[in-house]
Amino acid sequence: VDDPIDLILHSEANIFIELIGKENGISYDSVKTALNNKLHVITANKALLAKHGNELFVDRKPSQVVWECRRILLTIQQQSFL
C-alpha cells in the first residue's frame, strides 16, 4: 500500500501502527486520520508526540488511543536478540 491514509479509510483494521518517524507530513496526517476514524494508534514517534501530542489527545477517550513509546520498541529489539 502506497498511501497509509487510503489504507485507514478503506480497511477493517482497528489498530494503526505508525513507523514513519517524522513530526509532520504523512506521519501526522495518518495518525490524525486514524484517530478521527476511531482506530487505536501505536507510535514511538517522539517528535510527533512532542509537537502535536496535545492536539491529538484533545477529546480522546483512553479506549480510543494507545500510545506506546520507545519502551515497546526496545522490548521488541531485546527479544529479537535473545
Side-chain angles (χ1 to χ4, degrees):
V1 174
D2 293 332
D3 184 2
I5 293 175
D6 189 48
L7 177 67
I8 292 165
L9 296 175
H10 297 102
S11 81
E12 295 180 23
N14 57 11
I15 297 174
F16 179 74
I17 302 172
E18 185 274 324
L19 299 171
I20 301 167
K22 297 185 179 189
E23 65 188 50
N24 293 313
I26 195 66
S27 295
Y28 170 77
D29 294 340
S30 60
V31 167
K32 187 169 183 173
T33 301
L35 292 171
N36 288 338
N37 284 277
K38 303 197 183 331
L39 273 68
H40 295 282
V41 172
I42 299 172
T43 184
N45 189 335
K46 294 180 292 296
L48 175 76
L49 294 174
K51 185 165 186 175
H52 301 290
N54 289 337
E55 171 198 348
L56 294 171
F57 279 121
V58 172
D59 297 325
R60 306 285 178 200
K61 296 178 184 175
S63 62
Q64 290 179 303
V65 184
V66 177
W67 289 99
E68 291 291 338
C69 290
R70 191 173 177 97
R71 178 177 49 90
I72 191 85
L73 291 179
L74 290 174
T75 301
I76 292 169
Q77 288 173 347
Q78 289 170 352
Q79 290 176 355
S80 68
F81 289 113
L82 296 178

Coordinates of all heavy atoms in Angstrom, one line a residue:
V1 N 0.9 -1.2 0.0 CA 0.0 0.0 0.0 C 0.9 1.2 0.0 O 1.8 1.4 0.8 CB -0.9 0.0 1.2 CG1 -1.7 1.3 1.3 CG2 -1.8 -1.2 1.2
D2 N 0.6 2.1 -0.9 CA 1.4 3.3 -1.1 C 0.9 4.5 -0.2 O 1.6 5.4 0.1 CB 1.5 3.8 -2.5 CG 2.3 2.8 -3.4 OD1 3.2 2.1 -2.8 OD2 2.0 2.7 -4.6
D3 N -0.4 4.4 0.2 CA -1.0 5.6 0.8 C -1.6 5.1 2.2 O -2.6 4.5 2.2 CB -2.0 6.2 0.0 CG -2.7 7.4 0.6 OD1 -2.3 7.8 1.7 OD2 -3.6 8.0 -0.1
P4 N -0.9 5.4 3.3 CA -1.5 4.9 4.6 C -2.9 5.5 4.9 O -3.7 4.8 5.5 CB -0.5 5.4 5.6 CG 0.4 6.3 4.9 CD 0.3 6.1 3.5
I5 N -3.2 6.7 4.4 CA -4.5 7.3 4.7 C -5.6 6.5 3.9 O -6.6 6.2 4.5 CB -4.5 8.8 4.3 CG1 -3.6 9.5 5.3 CG2 -5.9 9.3 4.4 CD1 -3.4 11.0 5.1
D6 N -5.3 6.1 2.7 CA -6.2 5.3 2.0 C -6.4 3.9 2.7 O -7.6 3.4 2.7 CB -5.7 5.0 0.5 CG -6.7 4.4 -0.4 OD1 -7.8 4.9 -0.4 OD2 -6.3 3.4 -1.0
L7 N -5.4 3.4 3.2 CA -5.5 2.1 4.0 C -6.4 2.3 5.2 O -7.3 1.5 5.5 CB -4.1 1.7 4.4 CG -4.1 0.4 5.3 CD1 -4.5 -0.8 4.5 CD2 -2.7 0.2 5.8
I8 N -6.2 3.4 5.9 CA -7.0 3.7 7.1 C -8.5 3.8 6.7 O -9.4 3.3 7.4 CB -6.5 5.0 7.8 CG1 -5.2 4.8 8.4 CG2 -7.5 5.5 8.8 CD1 -4.5 6.1 8.7
L9 N -8.7 4.5 5.6 CA -10.1 4.8 5.2 C -10.8 3.6 4.6 O -12.1 3.5 4.6 CB -10.2 6.0 4.3 CG -9.7 7.3 4.9 CD1 -9.6 8.4 3.8 CD2 -10.6 7.8 6.0
H10 N -10.1 2.6 4.1 CA -10.7 1.5 3.4 C -10.4 0.2 3.9 O -10.5 -0.8 3.2 CB -10.3 1.6 1.9 CG -10.8 2.8 1.2 ND1 -10.0 3.9 1.0 CD2 -12.0 3.2 0.8 CE1 -10.7 4.9 0.4 NE2 -11.9 4.5 0.3
S11 N -10.0 0.1 5.2 CA -9.7 -1.2 5.8 C -10.6 -1.5 7.0 O -11.3 -0.5 7.5 CB -8.3 -1.4 6.2 OG -8.0 -0.8 7.4
E12 N -10.6 -2.7 7.4 CA -11.4 -3.0 8.6 C -10.5 -3.1 9.9 O -11.0 -3.6 10.9 CB -12.1 -4.3 8.4 CG -13.2 -4.2 7.3 CD -13.9 -5.5 7.1 OE1 -14.0 -6.4 8.0 OE2 -14.4 -5.7 6.0
A13 N -9.3 -2.6 9.8 CA -8.4 -2.6 10.9 C -8.9 -1.8 12.0 O -9.6 -0.8 11.8 CB -7.0 -2.1 10.4
N14 N -8.5 -2.1 13.2 CA -8.9 -1.3 14.4 C -7.6 -0.7 15.1 O -7.7 -0.1 16.1 CB -9.8 -2.0 15.3 CG -9.2 -3.3 15.9 OD1 -8.0 -3.6 15.7 ND2 -10.0 -4.1 16.5
I15 N -6.5 -1.0 14.5 CA -5.2 -0.5 15.1 C -4.4 0.0 13.9 O -4.3 -0.6 12.9 CB -4.4 -1.6 15.8 CG1 -5.2 -2.2 17.0 CG2 -3.0 -1.1 16.2 CD1 -4.5 -3.4 17.7
F16 N -3.7 1.2 14.2 CA -2.8 1.7 13.2 C -1.5 1.9 13.9 O -1.4 2.5 14.9 CB -3.3 3.1 12.7 CG -2.4 3.8 11.7 CD1 -2.3 3.3 10.4 CD2 -1.6 4.8 12.1 CE1 -1.4 3.9 9.5 CE2 -0.8 5.5 11.2 CZ -0.7 5.0 9.9
I17 N -0.4 1.3 13.3 CA 0.9 1.4 13.9 C 1.7 2.4 12.9 O 2.0 2.1 11.8 CB 1.6 0.1 14.0 CG1 0.8 -0.9 14.8 CG2 3.0 0.2 14.5 CD1 1.2 -2.3 14.9
E18 N 2.1 3.5 13.5 CA 2.9 4.5 12.7 C 4.4 4.3 13.0 O 4.8 4.3 14.1 CB 2.5 5.9 13.2 CG 3.1 7.0 12.4 CD 4.5 7.4 12.9 OE1 4.7 7.4 14.1 OE2 5.3 7.7 12.1
L19 N 5.1 4.0 11.9 CA 6.6 3.8 12.0 C 7.4 4.7 11.0 O 8.5 4.4 10.8 CB 6.9 2.3 11.6 CG 6.3 1.3 12.6 CD1 6.5 -0.1 12.0 CD2 6.8 1.4 14.0
I20 N 6.7 5.8 10.6 CA 7.4 6.6 9.6 C 8.4 7.5 10.2 O 9.5 7.7 9.7 CB 6.3 7.5 8.8 CG1 5.3 6.6 8.2 CG2 7.0 8.5 7.9 CD1 4.1 7.2 7.7
G21 N 8.1 8.1 11.4 CA 9.1 8.8 12.2 C 9.3 10.3 11.9 O 10.3 10.8 12.3
K22 N 8.4 10.9 11.2 CA 8.5 12.4 11.0 C 7.5 13.1 11.8 O 6.4 12.5 12.1 CB 8.4 12.7 9.5 CG 9.5 12.1 8.7 CD 9.4 12.6 7.3 CE 10.6 11.9 6.5 NZ 10.7 12.5 5.2
E23 N 7.7 14.3 12.2 CA 6.7 15.0 13.0 C 5.6 15.6 12.3 O 4.6 15.9 12.8 CB 7.4 16.1 13.9 CG 8.0 17.2 13.0 CD 8.9 18.2 13.9 OE1 9.7 17.7 14.6 OE2 8.6 19.4 13.8
N24 N 5.8 15.8 11.0 CA 4.7 16.4 10.1 C 4.5 15.5 8.9 O 5.0 14.4 8.8 CB 5.2 17.8 9.7 CG 5.3 18.8 10.8 OD1 4.3 18.9 11.6 ND2 6.4 19.5 10.9
G25 N 3.7 16.1 8.0 CA 3.5 15.3 6.7 C 2.7 14.1 6.9 O 1.7 14.1 7.7
I26 N 3.1 13.0 6.3 CA 2.3 11.8 6.2 C 2.2 11.2 7.6 O 1.1 10.5 7.9 CB 2.8 10.8 5.2 CG1 1.7 9.7 4.9 CG2 4.1 10.3 5.6 CD1 0.5 10.2 4.3
S27 N 3.2 11.3 8.5 CA 3.1 10.8 9.8 C 2.0 11.4 10.6 O 1.1 10.7 11.1 CB 4.4 11.0 10.6 OG 5.5 10.3 10.0
Y28 N 1.9 12.7 10.6 CA 0.9 13.5 11.3 C -0.5 13.2 10.7 O -1.4 12.9 11.4 CB 1.2 15.0 11.3 CG 0.1 15.8 11.8 CD1 -0.2 16.0 13.1 CD2 -0.7 16.5 10.9 CE1 -1.3 16.7 13.6 CE2 -1.8 17.3 11.3 CZ -2.0 17.4 12.6 OH -3.1 18.2 13.1
D29 N -0.5 13.3 9.4 CA -1.8 13.1 8.7 C -2.4 11.7 8.9 O -3.6 11.6 9.1 CB -1.7 13.4 7.2 CG -1.3 14.8 6.9 OD1 -1.6 15.7 7.7 OD2 -0.8 15.1 5.8
S30 N -1.6 10.7 8.9 CA -2.1 9.4 9.0 C -2.5 9.1 10.5 O -3.5 8.5 10.7 CB -1.0 8.3 8.6 OG 0.1 8.4 9.3
V31 N -1.7 9.6 11.5 CA -2.1 9.4 12.9 C -3.4 10.1 13.1 O -4.4 9.6 13.8 CB -1.0 9.9 13.8 CG1 -1.5 10.0 15.2 CG2 0.2 8.9 13.7
K32 N -3.6 11.4 12.7 CA -4.8 12.1 12.9 C -6.0 11.5 12.2 O -7.1 11.4 12.8 CB -4.6 13.6 12.4 CG -5.8 14.5 12.7 CD -5.5 15.9 12.5 CE -6.7 16.7 13.0 NZ -6.4 18.1 12.9
T33 N -5.8 11.0 11.0 CA -6.9 10.3 10.3 C -7.3 9.0 11.0 O -8.5 8.7 11.2 CB -6.5 10.0 8.8 OG1 -6.1 11.2 8.2 CG2 -7.5 9.2 8.1
A34 N -6.3 8.3 11.5 CA -6.6 7.1 12.3 C -7.4 7.4 13.5 O -8.4 6.7 13.8 CB -5.3 6.3 12.6
L35 N -7.0 8.4 14.3 CA -7.7 8.8 15.5 C -9.1 9.2 15.2 O -10.0 8.9 15.9 CB -6.9 9.9 16.2 CG -5.6 9.4 16.8 CD1 -4.8 10.6 17.4 CD2 -5.8 8.4 17.9
N36 N -9.2 10.0 14.1 CA -10.6 10.5 13.7 C -11.5 9.4 13.3 O -12.7 9.6 13.3 CB -10.4 11.6 12.7 CG -9.9 12.9 13.2 OD1 -9.9 13.2 14.4 ND2 -9.3 13.7 12.3
N37 N -10.9 8.3 12.9 CA -11.7 7.2 12.4 C -11.8 6.1 13.5 O -12.1 4.9 13.3 CB -11.1 6.6 11.2 CG -11.5 7.4 10.0 OD1 -12.6 7.3 9.4 ND2 -10.6 8.3 9.6
K38 N -11.4 6.5 14.8 CA -11.6 5.7 16.0 C -10.7 4.4 16.0 O -11.0 3.4 16.6 CB -13.0 5.4 16.2 CG -13.9 6.6 16.4 CD -15.2 6.3 17.0 CE -16.1 7.5 17.1 NZ -15.6 8.8 17.2
L39 N -9.5 4.5 15.3 CA -8.6 3.4 15.4 C -7.6 3.7 16.6 O -7.4 4.8 16.9 CB -7.7 3.4 14.1 CG -8.3 2.6 12.9 CD1 -9.5 3.2 12.3 CD2 -7.2 2.4 11.9
H40 N -7.2 2.6 17.2 CA -6.1 2.7 18.2 C -4.8 3.0 17.4 O -4.6 2.5 16.3 CB -6.0 1.4 18.9 CG -7.2 1.0 19.7 ND1 -7.5 1.6 20.9 CD2 -8.2 0.1 19.5 CE1 -8.6 1.0 21.4 NE2 -9.0 0.2 20.5
V41 N -4.0 3.8 18.0 CA -2.7 4.2 17.4 C -1.6 3.8 18.3 O -1.6 4.1 19.5 CB -2.7 5.7 17.1 CG1 -1.3 6.2 16.6 CG2 -3.8 6.1 16.1
I42 N -0.6 3.2 17.7 CA 0.6 2.9 18.4 C 1.8 3.6 17.6 O 1.9 3.4 16.4 CB 0.9 1.3 18.4 CG1 -0.3 0.6 19.1 CG2 2.2 1.0 19.0 CD1 -0.2 -0.9 19.1
T43 N 2.5 4.3 18.3 CA 3.7 5.0 17.7 C 4.8 5.2 18.7 O 4.6 5.3 19.9 CB 3.2 6.4 17.2 OG1 4.4 7.0 16.5 CG2 2.8 7.3 18.3
A44 N 6.0 5.2 18.2 CA 7.2 5.6 19.0 C 7.8 6.9 18.6 O 8.9 7.2 18.9 CB 8.2 4.5 18.9
N45 N 7.0 7.6 17.8 CA 7.4 8.9 17.2 C 7.4 10.0 18.2 O 6.4 10.7 18.3 CB 6.5 9.2 16.0 CG 7.0 10.3 15.1 OD1 7.7 11.2 15.6 ND2 6.6 10.3 13.9
K46 N 8.5 10.2 18.9 CA 8.6 11.2 19.9 C 8.5 12.6 19.3 O 8.0 13.5 20.0 CB 9.9 11.0 20.7 CG 10.0 9.7 21.5 CD 11.3 9.6 22.2 CE 12.5 9.4 21.4 NZ 12.6 8.2 20.6
A47 N 9.0 12.8 18.1 CA 8.9 14.2 17.5 C 7.5 14.5 17.3 O 7.0 15.6 17.5 CB 9.7 14.2 16.2
L48 N 6.7 13.6 16.8 CA 5.3 13.8 16.5 C 4.5 14.1 17.8 O 3.7 15.0 17.9 CB 4.7 12.6 15.8 CG 3.2 12.6 15.6 CD1 2.8 13.5 14.4 CD2 2.7 11.2 15.3
L49 N 4.8 13.3 18.8 CA 4.2 13.4 20.1 C 4.5 14.8 20.8 O 3.7 15.5 21.3 CB 4.5 12.3 21.1 CG 4.0 10.9 20.7 CD1 4.6 9.9 21.6 CD2 2.5 10.9 20.7
A50 N 5.8 15.2 20.6 CA 6.2 16.5 21.2 C 5.5 17.6 20.5 O 5.1 18.6 21.2 CB 7.7 16.6 21.2
K51 N 5.5 17.6 19.2 CA 4.9 18.7 18.5 C 3.4 18.7 18.5 O 2.8 19.8 18.6 CB 5.4 18.7 17.1 CG 5.0 20.0 16.3 CD 5.8 20.2 15.1 CE 5.4 21.5 14.4 NZ 6.2 21.8 13.3
H52 N 2.7 17.6 18.3 CA 1.3 17.5 18.1 C 0.5 16.7 19.2 O -0.7 16.6 19.0 CB 1.0 16.9 16.7 CG 1.6 17.6 15.6 ND1 1.2 18.9 15.2 CD2 2.6 17.3 14.8 CE1 1.9 19.3 14.2 NE2 2.8 18.3 13.9
G53 N 1.2 16.2 20.2 CA 0.6 15.4 21.2 C -0.7 16.0 21.8 O -1.7 15.3 21.9
N54 N -0.5 17.2 22.3 CA -1.7 17.9 22.9 C -2.9 18.0 22.0 O -4.0 17.7 22.4 CB -1.3 19.3 23.4 CG -0.4 19.2 24.6 OD1 -0.3 18.2 25.3 ND2 0.4 20.3 24.8
E55 N -2.6 18.3 20.8 CA -3.7 18.4 19.8 C -4.4 17.1 19.5 O -5.6 16.9 19.5 CB -3.2 19.0 18.5 CG -4.2 19.0 17.4 CD -3.6 19.1 16.0 OE1 -2.4 19.5 15.9 OE2 -4.3 18.9 15.0
L56 N -3.5 16.1 19.4 CA -4.0 14.7 19.0 C -4.8 14.1 20.2 O -5.7 13.3 20.0 CB -2.9 13.8 18.6 CG -2.2 14.2 17.3 CD1 -1.0 13.4 17.0 CD2 -3.2 14.1 16.1
F57 N -4.4 14.5 21.4 CA -5.1 13.9 22.6 C -6.4 14.6 23.0 O -7.2 14.0 23.7 CB -4.2 14.0 23.8 CG -3.2 12.9 23.9 CD1 -1.8 13.2 23.9 CD2 -3.5 11.5 23.9 CE1 -0.9 12.2 24.0 CE2 -2.6 10.5 24.0 CZ -1.3 10.8 24.0
V58 N -6.6 15.8 22.4 CA -7.8 16.5 22.8 C -9.1 15.7 22.5 O -9.2 15.2 21.4 CB -7.9 17.9 22.1 CG1 -9.2 18.6 22.3 CG2 -6.7 18.8 22.5
D59 N -10.0 15.6 23.5 CA -11.3 15.0 23.3 C -11.2 13.5 23.0 O -12.1 12.9 22.3 CB -12.1 15.7 22.3 CG -12.5 17.1 22.7 OD1 -12.7 17.3 23.9 OD2 -12.6 18.0 21.8
R60 N -10.1 12.8 23.4 CA -10.0 11.4 23.1 C -10.2 10.6 24.4 O -9.8 11.0 25.4 CB -8.6 11.0 22.6 CG -8.1 11.8 21.4 CD -8.7 11.4 20.2 NE -8.2 12.2 19.1 CZ -8.8 12.4 17.9 NH1 -9.9 11.8 17.7 NH2 -8.3 13.2 17.0
K61 N -11.0 9.6 24.2 CA -11.2 8.7 25.4 C -10.0 7.7 25.4 O -9.5 7.3 24.4 CB -12.5 7.9 25.2 CG -13.7 8.8 25.2 CD -14.9 8.0 25.0 CE -16.2 8.9 24.9 NZ -17.4 8.1 24.6
P62 N -9.6 7.3 26.6 CA -8.5 6.4 26.7 C -8.7 5.1 25.8 O -7.7 4.6 25.3 CB -8.4 6.0 28.2 CG -9.0 7.2 28.9 CD -10.1 7.7 27.9
S63 N -9.9 4.7 25.7 CA -10.1 3.4 24.9 C -9.9 3.7 23.4 O -9.8 2.7 22.6 CB -11.5 2.9 25.1 OG -12.5 3.9 24.7
Q64 N -9.8 4.9 23.0 CA -9.7 5.2 21.5 C -8.2 5.2 21.1 O -7.9 5.1 20.0 CB -10.3 6.6 21.2 CG -11.8 6.6 21.2 CD -12.3 8.0 20.9 OE1 -11.9 8.9 21.5 NE2 -13.1 8.1 19.8
V65 N -7.3 5.5 22.1 CA -5.9 5.7 21.8 C -5.0 4.9 22.6 O -5.1 4.7 23.8 CB -5.6 7.2 22.0 CG1 -4.2 7.5 21.6 CG2 -6.6 8.1 21.4
V66 N -4.1 4.3 21.9 CA -3.0 3.5 22.6 C -1.7 4.2 22.1 O -1.3 4.1 20.9 CB -3.0 2.0 22.2 CG1 -1.8 1.3 22.8 CG2 -4.3 1.4 22.6
W67 N -1.0 4.8 23.0 CA 0.3 5.4 22.7 C 1.4 4.6 23.4 O 1.4 4.5 24.6 CB 0.4 6.8 23.2 CG -0.5 7.8 22.4 CD1 -1.7 8.2 22.8 CD2 -0.2 8.4 21.2 NE1 -2.2 9.1 21.9 CE2 -1.4 9.2 20.8 CE3 0.8 8.3 20.3 CZ2 -1.4 9.9 19.7 CZ3 0.8 9.1 19.1 CH2 -0.4 9.9 18.8
E68 N 2.3 4.0 22.7 CA 3.4 3.3 23.2 C 4.6 3.9 22.7 O 4.8 4.1 21.5 CB 3.4 1.8 22.8 CG 2.3 1.0 23.5 CD 2.4 0.8 25.0 OE1 3.5 1.0 25.5 OE2 1.4 0.6 25.6
C69 N 5.5 4.3 23.6 CA 6.8 5.0 23.1 C 7.9 4.0 23.1 O 7.8 2.8 22.9 CB 7.0 6.1 24.0 SG 5.8 7.4 23.8
R70 N 9.1 4.5 23.2 CA 10.3 3.8 22.9 C 10.4 2.5 23.7 O 11.0 1.5 23.2 CB 11.5 4.7 23.3 CG 12.8 4.2 22.9 CD 13.9 5.2 23.1 NE 15.2 4.7 22.8 CZ 15.8 4.9 21.6 NH1 15.2 5.6 20.7 NH2 16.9 4.4 21.3
R71 N 9.8 2.4 24.9 CA 9.9 1.2 25.7 C 9.4 0.0 24.9 O 10.1 -1.1 25.0 CB 9.0 1.4 26.9 CG 8.9 0.2 27.8 CD 8.1 0.5 29.1 NE 6.8 1.1 28.7 CZ 5.7 0.4 28.5 NH1 5.7 -0.9 28.6 NH2 4.6 1.0 28.2
I72 N 8.4 0.0 24.2 CA 7.9 -1.1 23.4 C 8.9 -1.6 22.3 O 9.1 -2.7 22.1 CB 6.5 -0.9 22.9 CG1 5.9 -2.2 22.4 CG2 6.5 0.1 21.8 CD1 5.2 -3.0 23.4
L73 N 9.5 -0.6 21.7 CA 10.4 -0.9 20.6 C 11.7 -1.5 21.2 O 12.3 -2.5 20.6 CB 10.8 0.4 19.8 CG 9.7 0.9 18.9 CD1 10.1 2.1 18.2 CD2 9.2 -0.1 17.9
L74 N 12.1 -1.0 22.3 CA 13.3 -1.6 23.0 C 13.0 -3.0 23.4 O 13.9 -3.9 23.3 CB 13.7 -0.7 24.2 CG 14.3 0.6 23.8 CD1 14.5 1.4 25.1 CD2 15.6 0.5 23.0
T75 N 11.8 -3.3 23.9 CA 11.4 -4.6 24.3 C 11.5 -5.6 23.1 O 12.0 -6.7 23.2 CB 10.0 -4.7 24.9 OG1 10.0 -3.8 26.1 CG2 9.7 -6.0 25.4
I76 N 10.9 -5.1 22.0 CA 11.0 -5.9 20.8 C 12.4 -6.2 20.3 O 12.7 -7.3 20.0 CB 10.1 -5.3 19.7 CG1 8.6 -5.3 20.1 CG2 10.3 -6.0 18.3 CD1 7.8 -4.4 19.2
Q77 N 13.2 -5.2 20.3 CA 14.6 -5.3 19.9 C 15.3 -6.3 20.8 O 16.1 -7.1 20.3 CB 15.3 -3.9 19.9 CG 14.8 -3.0 18.8 CD 15.4 -1.7 18.9 OE1 16.0 -1.3 19.9 NE2 15.3 -0.9 17.8
Q78 N 15.1 -6.2 22.1 CA 15.8 -7.0 23.0 C 15.4 -8.5 22.8 O 16.2 -9.4 22.8 CB 15.6 -6.6 24.5 CG 16.2 -5.3 24.8 CD 15.8 -4.8 26.2 OE1 14.8 -5.3 26.8 NE2 16.4 -3.7 26.6
Q79 N 14.1 -8.7 22.6 CA 13.7 -10.1 22.4 C 14.2 -10.7 21.1 O 14.4 -11.9 21.0 CB 12.1 -10.1 22.4 CG 11.6 -9.9 23.8 CD 10.1 -9.8 23.8 OE1 9.4 -9.9 22.7 NE2 9.5 -9.7 24.9
S80 N 14.4 -9.9 20.1 CA 14.9 -10.4 18.8 C 16.3 -10.8 18.9 O 16.8 -11.6 18.0 CB 14.7 -9.4 17.7 OG 15.5 -8.2 17.9
F81 N 17.1 -10.3 19.9 CA 18.5 -10.7 20.0 C 18.7 -11.9 21.0 O 19.8 -12.3 21.1 CB 19.3 -9.5 20.6 CG 19.5 -8.4 19.5 CD1 18.9 -7.2 19.7 CD2 20.2 -8.6 18.4 CE1 19.0 -6.2 18.8 CE2 20.3 -7.6 17.5 CZ 19.7 -6.4 17.7
L82 N 17.6 -12.4 21.6 CA 17.7 -13.5 22.5 C 17.9 -14.8 21.8 O 17.5 -15.0 20.7 CB 16.5 -13.5 23.4 CG 16.3 -12.4 24.3 CD1 15.1 -12.5 25.2 CD2 17.5 -12.2 25.3

